[in-house]
Amino acid sequence: MTKSQNRARTGTIVALDIGTSKVCCLIARVERPPVENGTRIIVQPRIIGSGLQVSAGLKNGVIIDVEVAETAIRKAVSAAEQMAGDHIRSVTVNLNGGKPLSKTIGVDVDIGGLKIDDSDLQRVFQRTVSLNTNGNGNGQTNSHSSTQAVKDPGRELIHSIPVGYAVDGNNGIRDPRGMFGERLSVNMHMITAANGVIKTLRSVIEETHLEIDDFVIAPYASGLSTLVEDETDLGVTVIDMGAGTTSIAVFSDGDTVFTDIIPVGGAHVTNDIARGLSTPIAHAERLKTLHGAAMATASDEHELIDVLHVGEDEHNSPNHIPRSLLNGIIQPRLEETFELVRERLTDSGFDAIAGRRVVLTGGASQLQGTQELATIILDKQVRMGRPLRLRGLPDSMSGPAFATSAGLISYAIEKPSAVSISTPNIKKETGGLGNRLGNWLNEHF
Ligand SMILES: Nc1ncnc2c1ncn2[C@@H]1O[C@H](COP(=O)(O)OP(=O)(O)OP(=O)(O)O)[C@@H](O)[C@H]1O
Ligand SMILES: [Mg+2]
C-alpha cells in the first residue's frame, strides 16, 4: 500500500463549490479502501447526495451580497442533504477570490548526521508556521518569495505545501525520511489570500450552521480532479475558466507550485455580447452557448443568427446578424483573457517549470474554439479537462464546470501532501495553529 493510500480519509466528505454562476454541493461516502488506478486520485468515493443551485450574490468569485449568497448556499446544501437522507456538519470549500499570492519559501533545519524521521519533518513545517505567524524562523526566501508578504497581517495562509525536499543540497527528494544528512531543506509553497474575503465567506457558511474543514484554492482543486500523474510530475498549467474568474494552477513534481486568480470569466463575455448587440443578458447567454465561438471561421460571414433586442419580445420579427458579428465580440475578450494568463505565468517565474502542457476546465472552456485560441496565444499544447468520474455523480454534474467541485472531494480525501493550516477562528477552536499542524502530521505521516 502506498503512503497516500494510507492517508486517505474515509467516511462522509462534503464539497461546497461556491461559484459565480452556480453553487454545487456534493456529499461523498468513502467506504472502500483506495485502489490504484494510474491517476493521482486513488480512492473511489461514491456520491450519495448532490445539490445544484444558481448562484447569487457573487461577483468575480467573491461574495458581494451576504444574504442572497447564503440563501443560494442553503438551497444547494439542503438539496444534497435531502438526496443523501443525512445532515452534514462540515464542508470543504473552494476559494475563488481574495487575490491569492503564491510564495515559495526555503526552510531548513539541522539533522546532525542522524536519520531523518517524522520529528524532523515536523520541525521544518513548524519553521514555516513560525515564519507565517511571527517571522522568527530561520527560513530563507527564494527568488519568488518574500517573508514580509507571507506574514502580511491583511492576509491569511490557506495552503502550505511542501514542494520538494533537499538533503545536504541534493534536490528532488519527495520523502526524505530514512535518509541521513546534516541539513534538511524544504521548499514550501505558501498560498495566502485577503483576510476580508475569507472572513466574509466563513461567516456566510457558518450562518448556515456548517463548519469549514478546509478552504481550497479553486484551480488547485480543479487540477486534482482532472490531471493525470504524468502531467503533475512533468509540469502542467490548469486554467479554470469560470463565470467570474479565470484561475490558474501550475503543477510540477507532483504538486502545485503556483496559483493565481484573474477576475474575468464567461460572464464578461456574455455582458460584452449583451452590450454589443443590445440584447438581454439571458438572450446573450443563449447566443453565446448556441452560436458563439472563440475564433472566427470562414463561414461566419454568411451564417445569419436571430437577435432579440432589449425591449422586444420573442414575437417581434427577429433581427438577423451575421455570426461573424457575434464572434467578433467574443474573440477579443478571450484573447485578452489568455494574454492575461500568459502575463501572470511569465511574471510568476513558473512558466518554464509549467512546461508546455495546459489543461482547460470550467464551464466557459466549453465555448467552441477555446482550445484552439488558447493553443495559439499561450503557445502550448492544450487539452480539455474533464473531472475524474465519481461514482454516483449525476451526468449533469460531470462536465468541466464541475472540475472544482470534484477536486474538493479529492482534496478532502487525500490532502495531497498539503499541510492545511487553519485560519484564526478555527485556530481558536483547535488550540492553535501548531497544534492543528501537529494533528495533521500525526494523521498523515
Ligand atoms: N457551452 C458553453 N459555451 C460557452 N460558455 C459556456 C457553456 N456552458 C457554460 N458556459 C459558461 O460557463 C460559465 C460558468 O462556468 P462555471 O460553472 O465553471 O463557473 P463558476 O464556477 O460558477 O464561476 P467561477 O468559478 O468563475 O466563480 C458561464 O459564464 C457560462 O456562460
Ligand atoms: Mg468555478
Side-chain angles (χ1 to χ4, degrees), residues 239 241 246 248 262 264 331-347 351 373-379:
I239 304 174
M241 306 177 70
T246 300
I248 316 164
I262 301 167
V264 178
Q331 186 165 350
R333 176 64 85 168
L334 277 169
E335 278 174 353
E336 188 193 20
T337 306
F338 285 125
E339 278 159 9
L340 280 170
V341 168
R342 191 180 59 197
E343 211 174 283
R344 297 281 178 105
L345 282 173
T346 311
D347 291 351
D351 195 28
L373 187 69
T375 305
I376 293 169
I377 296 183
L378 301 173
D379 190 23

PDB file of all heavy atoms in Angstrom, residues 239 241 246 248 262 264 331-347 351 373-379:
ATOM      1  N   ILE A 239      -6.039  25.782 -16.307  1.00  0.00           N
ATOM      2  CA  ILE A 239      -6.721  27.075 -16.399  1.00  0.00           C
ATOM      3  C   ILE A 239      -8.211  26.800 -16.236  1.00  0.00           C
ATOM      4  O   ILE A 239      -8.822  26.154 -17.089  1.00  0.00           O
ATOM      5  CB  ILE A 239      -6.440  27.779 -17.752  1.00  0.00           C
ATOM      6  CG1 ILE A 239      -4.922  27.923 -17.964  1.00  0.00           C
ATOM      7  CG2 ILE A 239      -7.123  29.143 -17.796  1.00  0.00           C
ATOM      8  CD1 ILE A 239      -4.538  28.480 -19.333  1.00  0.00           C
ATOM      9  N   MET A 241     -11.773  28.086 -16.344  1.00  0.00           N
ATOM     10  CA  MET A 241     -12.491  29.223 -16.920  1.00  0.00           C
ATOM     11  C   MET A 241     -13.928  29.224 -16.408  1.00  0.00           C
ATOM     12  O   MET A 241     -14.781  28.508 -16.915  1.00  0.00           O
ATOM     13  CB  MET A 241     -12.443  29.138 -18.451  1.00  0.00           C
ATOM     14  CG  MET A 241     -11.007  29.022 -18.976  1.00  0.00           C
ATOM     15  SD  MET A 241     -10.927  28.824 -20.765  1.00  0.00           S
ATOM     16  CE  MET A 241     -11.446  30.445 -21.319  1.00  0.00           C
ATOM     17  N   THR A 246     -10.998  33.511 -14.105  1.00  0.00           N
ATOM     18  CA  THR A 246     -10.169  32.572 -14.859  1.00  0.00           C
ATOM     19  C   THR A 246      -8.991  32.318 -13.933  1.00  0.00           C
ATOM     20  O   THR A 246      -8.238  33.240 -13.620  1.00  0.00           O
ATOM     21  CB  THR A 246      -9.700  33.199 -16.184  1.00  0.00           C
ATOM     22  OG1 THR A 246     -10.865  33.525 -16.953  1.00  0.00           O
ATOM     23  CG2 THR A 246      -8.831  32.224 -16.979  1.00  0.00           C
ATOM     24  N   ILE A 248      -5.669  29.973 -12.305  1.00  0.00           N
ATOM     25  CA  ILE A 248      -4.521  29.215 -12.805  1.00  0.00           C
ATOM     26  C   ILE A 248      -3.889  28.419 -11.668  1.00  0.00           C
ATOM     27  O   ILE A 248      -3.726  28.938 -10.561  1.00  0.00           O
ATOM     28  CB  ILE A 248      -3.413  30.177 -13.300  1.00  0.00           C
ATOM     29  CG1 ILE A 248      -3.979  31.322 -14.132  1.00  0.00           C
ATOM     30  CG2 ILE A 248      -2.336  29.433 -14.078  1.00  0.00           C
ATOM     31  CD1 ILE A 248      -2.989  32.468 -14.301  1.00  0.00           C
ATOM     32  N   ILE A 262      -7.650  35.388 -11.912  1.00  0.00           N
ATOM     33  CA  ILE A 262      -7.900  36.623 -12.668  1.00  0.00           C
ATOM     34  C   ILE A 262      -9.415  36.851 -12.664  1.00  0.00           C
ATOM     35  O   ILE A 262     -10.177  35.959 -13.030  1.00  0.00           O
ATOM     36  CB  ILE A 262      -7.377  36.475 -14.124  1.00  0.00           C
ATOM     37  CG1 ILE A 262      -5.878  36.168 -14.120  1.00  0.00           C
ATOM     38  CG2 ILE A 262      -7.678  37.725 -14.929  1.00  0.00           C
ATOM     39  CD1 ILE A 262      -5.344  35.712 -15.468  1.00  0.00           C
ATOM     40  N   VAL A 264     -11.875  37.663 -14.371  1.00  0.00           N
ATOM     41  CA  VAL A 264     -12.559  37.784 -15.662  1.00  0.00           C
ATOM     42  C   VAL A 264     -13.017  36.389 -16.071  1.00  0.00           C
ATOM     43  O   VAL A 264     -12.259  35.435 -15.931  1.00  0.00           O
ATOM     44  CB  VAL A 264     -11.600  38.309 -16.763  1.00  0.00           C
ATOM     45  CG1 VAL A 264     -12.317  38.371 -18.100  1.00  0.00           C
ATOM     46  CG2 VAL A 264     -11.045  39.670 -16.409  1.00  0.00           C
ATOM     47  N   GLN A 331     -14.256  37.011 -29.447  1.00  0.00           N
ATOM     48  CA  GLN A 331     -12.820  36.703 -29.613  1.00  0.00           C
ATOM     49  C   GLN A 331     -11.879  37.667 -28.861  1.00  0.00           C
ATOM     50  O   GLN A 331     -10.986  37.211 -28.148  1.00  0.00           O
ATOM     51  CB  GLN A 331     -12.458  36.632 -31.097  1.00  0.00           C
ATOM     52  CG  GLN A 331     -11.016  36.182 -31.309  1.00  0.00           C
ATOM     53  CD  GLN A 331     -10.732  35.748 -32.738  1.00  0.00           C
ATOM     54  OE1 GLN A 331     -11.640  35.603 -33.551  1.00  0.00           O
ATOM     55  NE2 GLN A 331      -9.466  35.526 -33.048  1.00  0.00           N
ATOM     56  N   PRO A 332     -12.098  39.002 -28.994  1.00  0.00           N
ATOM     57  CA  PRO A 332     -11.153  39.897 -28.300  1.00  0.00           C
ATOM     58  C   PRO A 332     -11.122  39.682 -26.788  1.00  0.00           C
ATOM     59  O   PRO A 332     -10.071  39.754 -26.166  1.00  0.00           O
ATOM     60  CB  PRO A 332     -11.673  41.293 -28.630  1.00  0.00           C
ATOM     61  CG  PRO A 332     -12.605  41.141 -29.759  1.00  0.00           C
ATOM     62  CD  PRO A 332     -13.099  39.740 -29.770  1.00  0.00           C
ATOM     63  N   ARG A 333     -12.299  39.392 -26.187  1.00  0.00           N
ATOM     64  CA  ARG A 333     -12.350  39.197 -24.734  1.00  0.00           C
ATOM     65  C   ARG A 333     -11.549  37.940 -24.337  1.00  0.00           C
ATOM     66  O   ARG A 333     -10.814  37.939 -23.367  1.00  0.00           O
ATOM     67  CB  ARG A 333     -13.810  39.068 -24.296  1.00  0.00           C
ATOM     68  CG  ARG A 333     -13.989  38.765 -22.847  1.00  0.00           C
ATOM     69  CD  ARG A 333     -13.499  39.860 -21.925  1.00  0.00           C
ATOM     70  NE  ARG A 333     -14.493  40.901 -21.707  1.00  0.00           N
ATOM     71  CZ  ARG A 333     -14.398  41.841 -20.765  1.00  0.00           C
ATOM     72  NH1 ARG A 333     -13.338  41.879 -19.968  1.00  0.00           N
ATOM     73  NH2 ARG A 333     -15.324  42.764 -20.628  1.00  0.00           N
ATOM     74  N   LEU A 334     -11.691  36.897 -25.135  1.00  0.00           N
ATOM     75  CA  LEU A 334     -10.957  35.667 -24.804  1.00  0.00           C
ATOM     76  C   LEU A 334      -9.466  35.812 -25.071  1.00  0.00           C
ATOM     77  O   LEU A 334      -8.632  35.291 -24.326  1.00  0.00           O
ATOM     78  CB  LEU A 334     -11.534  34.482 -25.575  1.00  0.00           C
ATOM     79  CG  LEU A 334     -12.762  33.900 -24.895  1.00  0.00           C
ATOM     80  CD1 LEU A 334     -13.477  32.919 -25.781  1.00  0.00           C
ATOM     81  CD2 LEU A 334     -12.384  33.220 -23.586  1.00  0.00           C
ATOM     82  N   GLU A 335      -9.158  36.534 -26.141  1.00  0.00           N
ATOM     83  CA  GLU A 335      -7.735  36.793 -26.424  1.00  0.00           C
ATOM     84  C   GLU A 335      -7.107  37.540 -25.256  1.00  0.00           C
ATOM     85  O   GLU A 335      -6.033  37.185 -24.769  1.00  0.00           O
ATOM     86  CB  GLU A 335      -7.596  37.638 -27.695  1.00  0.00           C
ATOM     87  CG  GLU A 335      -7.683  36.814 -28.967  1.00  0.00           C
ATOM     88  CD  GLU A 335      -7.695  37.691 -30.228  1.00  0.00           C
ATOM     89  OE1 GLU A 335      -7.777  38.933 -30.107  1.00  0.00           O
ATOM     90  OE2 GLU A 335      -7.655  37.123 -31.316  1.00  0.00           O
ATOM     91  N   GLU A 336      -7.831  38.543 -24.794  1.00  0.00           N
ATOM     92  CA  GLU A 336      -7.332  39.352 -23.682  1.00  0.00           C
ATOM     93  C   GLU A 336      -7.152  38.485 -22.431  1.00  0.00           C
ATOM     94  O   GLU A 336      -6.156  38.603 -21.709  1.00  0.00           O
ATOM     95  CB  GLU A 336      -8.342  40.475 -23.411  1.00  0.00           C
ATOM     96  CG  GLU A 336      -7.870  41.504 -22.426  1.00  0.00           C
ATOM     97  CD  GLU A 336      -9.004  42.406 -21.961  1.00  0.00           C
ATOM     98  OE1 GLU A 336     -10.192  42.044 -22.089  1.00  0.00           O
ATOM     99  OE2 GLU A 336      -8.683  43.485 -21.456  1.00  0.00           O
ATOM    100  N   THR A 337      -8.115  37.592 -22.203  1.00  0.00           N
ATOM    101  CA  THR A 337      -8.048  36.721 -21.019  1.00  0.00           C
ATOM    102  C   THR A 337      -6.816  35.819 -21.085  1.00  0.00           C
ATOM    103  O   THR A 337      -6.067  35.704 -20.115  1.00  0.00           O
ATOM    104  CB  THR A 337      -9.339  35.867 -20.924  1.00  0.00           C
ATOM    105  OG1 THR A 337     -10.459  36.740 -20.959  1.00  0.00           O
ATOM    106  CG2 THR A 337      -9.365  35.047 -19.650  1.00  0.00           C
ATOM    107  N   PHE A 338      -6.595  35.190 -22.230  1.00  0.00           N
ATOM    108  CA  PHE A 338      -5.425  34.298 -22.338  1.00  0.00           C
ATOM    109  C   PHE A 338      -4.110  35.095 -22.306  1.00  0.00           C
ATOM    110  O   PHE A 338      -3.092  34.597 -21.825  1.00  0.00           O
ATOM    111  CB  PHE A 338      -5.508  33.435 -23.601  1.00  0.00           C
ATOM    112  CG  PHE A 338      -6.517  32.317 -23.481  1.00  0.00           C
ATOM    113  CD1 PHE A 338      -7.534  32.169 -24.412  1.00  0.00           C
ATOM    114  CD2 PHE A 338      -6.447  31.410 -22.429  1.00  0.00           C
ATOM    115  CE1 PHE A 338      -8.469  31.144 -24.292  1.00  0.00           C
ATOM    116  CE2 PHE A 338      -7.385  30.380 -22.298  1.00  0.00           C
ATOM    117  CZ  PHE A 338      -8.395  30.259 -23.235  1.00  0.00           C
ATOM    118  N   GLU A 339      -4.161  36.327 -22.811  1.00  0.00           N
ATOM    119  CA  GLU A 339      -2.952  37.170 -22.714  1.00  0.00           C
ATOM    120  C   GLU A 339      -2.644  37.486 -21.255  1.00  0.00           C
ATOM    121  O   GLU A 339      -1.489  37.486 -20.833  1.00  0.00           O
ATOM    122  CB  GLU A 339      -3.119  38.455 -23.532  1.00  0.00           C
ATOM    123  CG  GLU A 339      -2.812  38.230 -25.007  1.00  0.00           C
ATOM    124  CD  GLU A 339      -3.429  39.292 -25.929  1.00  0.00           C
ATOM    125  OE1 GLU A 339      -3.951  40.297 -25.412  1.00  0.00           O
ATOM    126  OE2 GLU A 339      -3.395  39.074 -27.155  1.00  0.00           O
ATOM    127  N   LEU A 340      -3.709  37.724 -20.475  1.00  0.00           N
ATOM    128  CA  LEU A 340      -3.513  37.969 -19.034  1.00  0.00           C
ATOM    129  C   LEU A 340      -2.931  36.729 -18.350  1.00  0.00           C
ATOM    130  O   LEU A 340      -2.039  36.828 -17.506  1.00  0.00           O
ATOM    131  CB  LEU A 340      -4.851  38.332 -18.366  1.00  0.00           C
ATOM    132  CG  LEU A 340      -5.330  39.759 -18.536  1.00  0.00           C
ATOM    133  CD1 LEU A 340      -6.768  39.909 -18.047  1.00  0.00           C
ATOM    134  CD2 LEU A 340      -4.418  40.715 -17.758  1.00  0.00           C
ATOM    135  N   VAL A 341      -3.442  35.567 -18.746  1.00  0.00           N
ATOM    136  CA  VAL A 341      -2.930  34.310 -18.173  1.00  0.00           C
ATOM    137  C   VAL A 341      -1.439  34.185 -18.501  1.00  0.00           C
ATOM    138  O   VAL A 341      -0.611  33.889 -17.627  1.00  0.00           O
ATOM    139  CB  VAL A 341      -3.707  33.091 -18.731  1.00  0.00           C
ATOM    140  CG1 VAL A 341      -3.001  31.784 -18.385  1.00  0.00           C
ATOM    141  CG2 VAL A 341      -5.134  33.081 -18.211  1.00  0.00           C
ATOM    142  N   ARG A 342      -1.113  34.435 -19.751  1.00  0.00           N
ATOM    143  CA  ARG A 342       0.293  34.322 -20.193  1.00  0.00           C
ATOM    144  C   ARG A 342       1.177  35.284 -19.391  1.00  0.00           C
ATOM    145  O   ARG A 342       2.252  34.917 -18.929  1.00  0.00           O
ATOM    146  CB  ARG A 342       0.359  34.646 -21.694  1.00  0.00           C
ATOM    147  CG  ARG A 342       1.699  34.324 -22.340  1.00  0.00           C
ATOM    148  CD  ARG A 342       1.668  34.681 -23.811  1.00  0.00           C
ATOM    149  NE  ARG A 342       1.373  36.105 -24.006  1.00  0.00           N
ATOM    150  CZ  ARG A 342       0.971  36.637 -25.166  1.00  0.00           C
ATOM    151  NH1 ARG A 342       0.813  35.878 -26.234  1.00  0.00           N
ATOM    152  NH2 ARG A 342       0.738  37.921 -25.273  1.00  0.00           N
ATOM    153  N   GLU A 343       0.664  36.494 -19.205  1.00  0.00           N
ATOM    154  CA  GLU A 343       1.409  37.511 -18.451  1.00  0.00           C
ATOM    155  C   GLU A 343       1.640  37.073 -17.007  1.00  0.00           C
ATOM    156  O   GLU A 343       2.758  37.158 -16.488  1.00  0.00           O
ATOM    157  CB  GLU A 343       0.558  38.782 -18.457  1.00  0.00           C
ATOM    158  CG  GLU A 343       1.304  40.077 -18.428  1.00  0.00           C
ATOM    159  CD  GLU A 343       0.297  41.205 -18.596  1.00  0.00           C
ATOM    160  OE1 GLU A 343      -0.146  41.434 -19.738  1.00  0.00           O
ATOM    161  OE2 GLU A 343      -0.086  41.830 -17.581  1.00  0.00           O
ATOM    162  N   ARG A 344       0.578  36.559 -16.382  1.00  0.00           N
ATOM    163  CA  ARG A 344       0.704  36.124 -14.975  1.00  0.00           C
ATOM    164  C   ARG A 344       1.702  34.977 -14.857  1.00  0.00           C
ATOM    165  O   ARG A 344       2.483  34.910 -13.910  1.00  0.00           O
ATOM    166  CB  ARG A 344      -0.654  35.666 -14.422  1.00  0.00           C
ATOM    167  CG  ARG A 344      -1.712  36.738 -14.378  1.00  0.00           C
ATOM    168  CD  ARG A 344      -1.520  37.673 -13.184  1.00  0.00           C
ATOM    169  NE  ARG A 344      -2.514  38.720 -13.198  1.00  0.00           N
ATOM    170  CZ  ARG A 344      -3.581  38.775 -12.382  1.00  0.00           C
ATOM    171  NH1 ARG A 344      -3.773  37.840 -11.495  1.00  0.00           N
ATOM    172  NH2 ARG A 344      -4.427  39.773 -12.471  1.00  0.00           N
ATOM    173  N   LEU A 345       1.662  34.077 -15.829  1.00  0.00           N
ATOM    174  CA  LEU A 345       2.593  32.935 -15.790  1.00  0.00           C
ATOM    175  C   LEU A 345       4.027  33.420 -15.954  1.00  0.00           C
ATOM    176  O   LEU A 345       4.934  32.987 -15.234  1.00  0.00           O
ATOM    177  CB  LEU A 345       2.258  31.929 -16.897  1.00  0.00           C
ATOM    178  CG  LEU A 345       1.066  31.010 -16.629  1.00  0.00           C
ATOM    179  CD1 LEU A 345       0.741  30.190 -17.869  1.00  0.00           C
ATOM    180  CD2 LEU A 345       1.343  30.081 -15.456  1.00  0.00           C
ATOM    181  N   THR A 346       4.223  34.326 -16.892  1.00  0.00           N
ATOM    182  CA  THR A 346       5.575  34.846 -17.123  1.00  0.00           C
ATOM    183  C   THR A 346       6.071  35.579 -15.878  1.00  0.00           C
ATOM    184  O   THR A 346       7.182  35.359 -15.404  1.00  0.00           O
ATOM    185  CB  THR A 346       5.580  35.813 -18.328  1.00  0.00           C
ATOM    186  OG1 THR A 346       4.902  35.168 -19.401  1.00  0.00           O
ATOM    187  CG2 THR A 346       6.985  36.166 -18.763  1.00  0.00           C
ATOM    188  N   ASP A 347       5.212  36.446 -15.337  1.00  0.00           N
ATOM    189  CA  ASP A 347       5.606  37.226 -14.156  1.00  0.00           C
ATOM    190  C   ASP A 347       5.907  36.332 -12.959  1.00  0.00           C
ATOM    191  O   ASP A 347       6.709  36.675 -12.099  1.00  0.00           O
ATOM    192  CB  ASP A 347       4.498  38.222 -13.757  1.00  0.00           C
ATOM    193  CG  ASP A 347       4.364  39.336 -14.786  1.00  0.00           C
ATOM    194  OD1 ASP A 347       5.222  39.407 -15.683  1.00  0.00           O
ATOM    195  OD2 ASP A 347       3.385  40.106 -14.705  1.00  0.00           O
ATOM    196  N   ASP A 351       6.692  29.855 -15.521  1.00  0.00           N
ATOM    197  CA  ASP A 351       6.267  29.469 -16.858  1.00  0.00           C
ATOM    198  C   ASP A 351       7.107  28.311 -17.410  1.00  0.00           C
ATOM    199  O   ASP A 351       6.581  27.369 -17.999  1.00  0.00           O
ATOM    200  CB  ASP A 351       6.328  30.676 -17.796  1.00  0.00           C
ATOM    201  CG  ASP A 351       5.555  30.412 -19.072  1.00  0.00           C
ATOM    202  OD1 ASP A 351       4.600  29.619 -19.016  1.00  0.00           O
ATOM    203  OD2 ASP A 351       5.910  30.976 -20.117  1.00  0.00           O
ATOM    204  N   LEU A 373      -7.791  28.668 -29.624  1.00  0.00           N
ATOM    205  CA  LEU A 373      -7.314  30.019 -29.314  1.00  0.00           C
ATOM    206  C   LEU A 373      -6.246  29.969 -28.207  1.00  0.00           C
ATOM    207  O   LEU A 373      -5.220  30.653 -28.285  1.00  0.00           O
ATOM    208  CB  LEU A 373      -8.486  30.909 -28.876  1.00  0.00           C
ATOM    209  CG  LEU A 373      -8.137  32.381 -28.687  1.00  0.00           C
ATOM    210  CD1 LEU A 373      -7.826  33.044 -30.030  1.00  0.00           C
ATOM    211  CD2 LEU A 373      -9.271  33.148 -27.997  1.00  0.00           C
ATOM    212  N   ALA A 374      -6.498  29.148 -27.193  1.00  0.00           N
ATOM    213  CA  ALA A 374      -5.518  29.016 -26.089  1.00  0.00           C
ATOM    214  C   ALA A 374      -4.191  28.497 -26.626  1.00  0.00           C
ATOM    215  O   ALA A 374      -3.115  28.955 -26.222  1.00  0.00           O
ATOM    216  CB  ALA A 374      -6.069  28.090 -25.014  1.00  0.00           C
ATOM    217  N   THR A 375      -4.263  27.547 -27.545  1.00  0.00           N
ATOM    218  CA  THR A 375      -3.038  26.967 -28.123  1.00  0.00           C
ATOM    219  C   THR A 375      -2.209  28.060 -28.793  1.00  0.00           C
ATOM    220  O   THR A 375      -0.990  28.126 -28.622  1.00  0.00           O
ATOM    221  CB  THR A 375      -3.405  25.880 -29.168  1.00  0.00           C
ATOM    222  OG1 THR A 375      -4.243  24.931 -28.531  1.00  0.00           O
ATOM    223  CG2 THR A 375      -2.174  25.184 -29.718  1.00  0.00           C
ATOM    224  N   ILE A 376      -2.892  28.920 -29.539  1.00  0.00           N
ATOM    225  CA  ILE A 376      -2.172  29.972 -30.266  1.00  0.00           C
ATOM    226  C   ILE A 376      -1.589  31.008 -29.307  1.00  0.00           C
ATOM    227  O   ILE A 376      -0.406  31.335 -29.374  1.00  0.00           O
ATOM    228  CB  ILE A 376      -3.126  30.662 -31.282  1.00  0.00           C
ATOM    229  CG1 ILE A 376      -3.507  29.661 -32.377  1.00  0.00           C
ATOM    230  CG2 ILE A 376      -2.477  31.905 -31.879  1.00  0.00           C
ATOM    231  CD1 ILE A 376      -4.638  30.127 -33.265  1.00  0.00           C
ATOM    232  N   ILE A 377      -2.402  31.488 -28.385  1.00  0.00           N
ATOM    233  CA  ILE A 377      -1.932  32.602 -27.540  1.00  0.00           C
ATOM    234  C   ILE A 377      -0.915  32.137 -26.493  1.00  0.00           C
ATOM    235  O   ILE A 377       0.059  32.825 -26.218  1.00  0.00           O
ATOM    236  CB  ILE A 377      -3.118  33.334 -26.896  1.00  0.00           C
ATOM    237  CG1 ILE A 377      -3.926  33.960 -28.021  1.00  0.00           C
ATOM    238  CG2 ILE A 377      -2.643  34.405 -25.906  1.00  0.00           C
ATOM    239  CD1 ILE A 377      -5.081  34.774 -27.616  1.00  0.00           C
ATOM    240  N   LEU A 378      -1.150  30.969 -25.934  1.00  0.00           N
ATOM    241  CA  LEU A 378      -0.219  30.508 -24.888  1.00  0.00           C
ATOM    242  C   LEU A 378       0.982  29.778 -25.487  1.00  0.00           C
ATOM    243  O   LEU A 378       1.968  29.531 -24.789  1.00  0.00           O
ATOM    244  CB  LEU A 378      -0.947  29.587 -23.899  1.00  0.00           C
ATOM    245  CG  LEU A 378      -2.145  30.220 -23.172  1.00  0.00           C
ATOM    246  CD1 LEU A 378      -2.883  29.171 -22.369  1.00  0.00           C
ATOM    247  CD2 LEU A 378      -1.681  31.353 -22.270  1.00  0.00           C
ATOM    248  N   ASP A 379       0.860  29.389 -26.753  1.00  0.00           N
ATOM    249  CA  ASP A 379       1.907  28.642 -27.437  1.00  0.00           C
ATOM    250  C   ASP A 379       2.278  27.378 -26.656  1.00  0.00           C
ATOM    251  O   ASP A 379       3.443  27.109 -26.358  1.00  0.00           O
ATOM    252  CB  ASP A 379       3.147  29.549 -27.629  1.00  0.00           C
ATOM    253  CG  ASP A 379       4.172  28.902 -28.538  1.00  0.00           C
ATOM    254  OD1 ASP A 379       3.780  28.026 -29.335  1.00  0.00           O
ATOM    255  OD2 ASP A 379       5.367  29.258 -28.434  1.00  0.00           O
TER     256      ASP A 379
END
